[in-house]
C-alpha cells in the first residue's frame, strides 16, 4: 500500500511541477514528499527526477515510469468510480474547468450547498478563458459556452444562452442609438480578442460585424467594465449583464440582432463507458440550478422578447 501511495505522490509532483505544490494538494509537507520520493527511487534503484532549488525535471527513466504510473492510477480511479457510481456515492477530487467570468458569477457562489450535500467530495475549480484539453490536462469535466461541433467528448446542455448588443445610457446619449446594423460602423464596438468578429443572426439572416475601436483587450471582464463605463457598444450574454439590463445600467440596442441561437452552456466530459458519480452529481446539480429558464434571465423576457425555453437535450 505504501508503494502505491509513493507512486501517487510521484505522479502528483510531476503534474504539479514542484514538491511544495504537490504537498499542498495532498496535505503533506515538502519534507515528507521528498522523503517518499527518495524511498521510491531507492526501491527502484534509479533516479526519476532531477531536482534543483527552483524546478524539477524527469529523467529518461522517470518519463517512462510516469507514463505507466499515470495509466495505472487512472485505471484505479475508474475502478473506484465504477463502484461508487453503483453505490450512488460521490467522493474524491473533482477537477473542473470553466470560463473565468461565468465561473465566478454562476459556479463559485453556489459551491457551498453542493459541497454540503456531498461531504466526501472536494472540488478543484480552475477558471480560464483558454481552451483546455480535458483529457490531456486531467479534467473530469469542463463548462463551455459554445456552439459545439462533432467531438470525441460527451456534452450535456445545461442552459440556453442569449447574447445581445448593449450600451450604457450615457454612451447612447453622447453618440446616438444605432438604428440599423450598418450604423455600428460609426460606433465604438467592444470585444475581447476571442470574440471578434461578431457573428449575428438578424431579420435578413446571418451578419458578420468586425468589432473596432480604441480599446483592445483579451479580457471579457475588461469589456464588461468598459461598456458599463460608456466606452462603446458590446455583445454580451444575459448571464453576464442581466442585472445591468434590469436595473438600467445598460440598454439593449438593435434587439432584432442576436448572437447565434445555437450557442449554449454545456458540461463537457470525456467519453467513457461509465460516468463517475462525482461527475454525474455535479452536472445534475448545475442543470437543476440553472433550470430550463435560467435565473439570470428573470424579468428580461418582455424587454428582450426572449423565445420560450427549449428542452435540454444531452
Amino acid at each position: 500500500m505504501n508503494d502505491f501511495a509513493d507512486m501517487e505522490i510521484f505522479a502528483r509532483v510531476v503534474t504539479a511541477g514542484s514538491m511544495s505544490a504537490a504537498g499542498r494538494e495532498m496535505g503533506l509537507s515538502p519534507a515528507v514528499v521528498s522523503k517518499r520520493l527518495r524511498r521510491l527511487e531507492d526501491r527502484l534503484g534509479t533516479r526519476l527526477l532531477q531536482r534543483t532549488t527552483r524546478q524539477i525535471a524527469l529523467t529518461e527513466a522517470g518519463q517512462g515510469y510516469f507514463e505507466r504510473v499515470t495509466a495505472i492510477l487512472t485505471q484505479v480511479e475508474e475502478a473506484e468510480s465504477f463502484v461508487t457510481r453503483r453505490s450512488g456515492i460521490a467522493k474524491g477530487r473533482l477537477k473542473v474547468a470553466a470560463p473565468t467570468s461565468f465561473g465566478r458569477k454562476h459556479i463559485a457562489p453556489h459551491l457551498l450547498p453542493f459541497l454540503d450535500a456531498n461531504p466526501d467530495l472536494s472540488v478543484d475549480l480552475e477558471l480560464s478563458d483558454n481552451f483546455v484539453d480535458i483529457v490531456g490536462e486531467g479534467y473530469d469535466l469542463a463548462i463551455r459556452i459554445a456552439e459545439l461541433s462533432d467531438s470525441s467528448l460527451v456534452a450535456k446542455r445545461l442552459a440556453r444562452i442569449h447574447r445581445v448588443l448593449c450600451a450604457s445610457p450615457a454612451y447612447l446619449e453622447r453618440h446616438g442609438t444605432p438604428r440599423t446594423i450598418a450604423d455600428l460602423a460609426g460606433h465604438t464596438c467592444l470585444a475581447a480578442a476571442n470574440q471578434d468578429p461578431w457573428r449575428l443572426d438578424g431579420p435578413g439572416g446571418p451578419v458578420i460585424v468586425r468589432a473596432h475601436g480604441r480599446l483592445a483587450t483579451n479580457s471579457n471582464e475588461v469589456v464588461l467594465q468598459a461598456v458599463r463605463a460608456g466606452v462603446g457598444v458590446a455583445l454580451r450574454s444575459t448571464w453576464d449583464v442581466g442585472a445591468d439590463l434590469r436595473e438600467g445600467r445598460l440598454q439593449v440596442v438593435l434587439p432584432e440582432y442576436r448572437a447565434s441561437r445555437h450557442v449554449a452552456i454545456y458540461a463537457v466530459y470525456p467519453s467513457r463507458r461509465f460516468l463517475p458519480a462525482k461527475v454525474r452529481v455535479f452536472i445534475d446539480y448545475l442543470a437543476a440550478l440553472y433550470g430550463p429558464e435560467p435565473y439570470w434571465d428573470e424579468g428580461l423576457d418582455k424587454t428582450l422578447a426572449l423565445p420560450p425555453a427549449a428542452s435540454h437535450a444531452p
Side-chain angles (χ1 to χ4, degrees):
M1 188 64 181
N2 285 336
D3 292 342
F4 183 82
D6 291 346
M7 291 165 55
E8 186 176 10
I9 290 172
F10 165 73
R12 191 67 67 89
V13 168
V14 175
T15 56
S18 73
M19 287 185 285
S20 59
R24 286 194 297 271
E25 291 180 2
M26 304 186 76
L28 301 174
S29 70
V32 170
V33 172
S34 179
K35 180 180 179 180
R36 300 289 286 273
L37 287 176
R38 285 197 304 271
R39 186 173 70 178
L40 177 62
E41 289 177 329
D42 290 343
R43 183 172 63 82
L44 296 173
T46 188
R47 181 176 289 276
L48 300 174
L49 297 170
Q50 298 289 0
R51 304 167 180 81
T52 69
T53 56
R54 294 188 177 181
Q55 62 183 6
I56 61 171
L58 285 166
T59 64
E60 183 178 355
Q63 180 63 48
Y65 187 71
F66 173 70
E67 293 171 359
R68 288 158 178 79
V69 163
T70 301
I72 292 170
L73 294 174
T74 299
Q75 289 177 349
V76 170
E77 182 181 359
E78 289 187 352
E80 291 181 349
S81 295
F82 174 75
V83 173
T84 55
R85 178 175 178 267
R86 290 173 64 88
S87 65
I89 299 172
K91 66 178 183 178
R93 175 173 169 264
L94 179 69
K95 188 175 181 181
V96 182
T100 303
S101 296
F102 185 84
R104 288 177 179 169
K105 291 187 174 185
H106 301 295
I107 297 179
H110 306 291
L111 284 178
L112 180 58
F114 175 76
L115 293 172
D116 284 346
N118 298 276
D120 296 323
L121 188 61
S122 63
V123 175
D124 179 355
L125 177 61
E126 299 191 12
L127 303 182
S128 173
D129 293 326
N130 296 326
F131 186 87
V132 300
D133 178 356
I134 297 176
V135 176
E137 298 180 41
Y139 289 95
D140 293 296
L141 77 153
I143 305 302
R144 287 185 177 162
I145 302 173
E147 180 177 347
L148 293 183
S149 57
D150 291 339
S151 171
S152 60
L153 303 174
V154 179
K156 178 177 176 59
R157 186 175 183 268
L158 296 176
R160 67 179 183 175
I161 191 171
H162 299 287
R163 292 185 293 172
V164 297
L165 295 166
C166 56
S168 71
Y171 175 86
L172 297 176
E173 183 177 351
R174 288 197 308 271
H175 301 282
T177 301
R179 303 298 178 185
T180 68
I181 198 71
D183 289 346
L184 290 177
H187 287 265
T188 297
C189 295
L190 303 168
N194 63 353
Q195 290 187 330
D196 183 17
W198 296 338
R199 302 181 187 278
L200 307 173
D201 290 334
V207 177
I208 295 178
V209 176
R210 175 67 68 178
H212 58 275
R214 297 168 59 195
L215 175 64
T217 179
N218 66 343
S219 168
N220 285 310
E221 293 187 349
V222 169
V223 172
L224 176 60
Q225 295 303 319
V227 70
R228 285 173 174 167
V231 177
V233 179
L235 179 67
R236 306 302 298 174
S237 299
T238 53
W239 62 256
D240 200 21
V241 297
D244 295 285
L245 295 172
R246 280 189 293 271
E247 297 169 17
R249 291 188 294 270
L250 295 176
Q251 296 179 8
V252 174
V253 298
L254 299 174
E256 65 273 23
Y257 288 91
R258 305 273 177 84
S260 172
R261 290 169 171 79
H262 299 292
V263 174
I265 300 169
Y266 292 90
V268 181
Y269 50 93
S271 179
R272 296 177 178 173
R273 289 184 301 166
F274 57 85
L275 184 64
K278 62 182 180 180
V279 176
R280 175 179 51 79
V281 296
F282 190 67
I283 291 175
D284 290 347
Y285 176 72
L286 293 183
L289 175 66
Y290 304 149
E293 298 185 15
Y295 60 80
W296 53 75
D297 282 342
E298 288 180 4
L300 297 180
D301 287 43
K302 292 183 179 179
T303 302
L304 305 179
L306 297 180
S311 61
H312 286 196

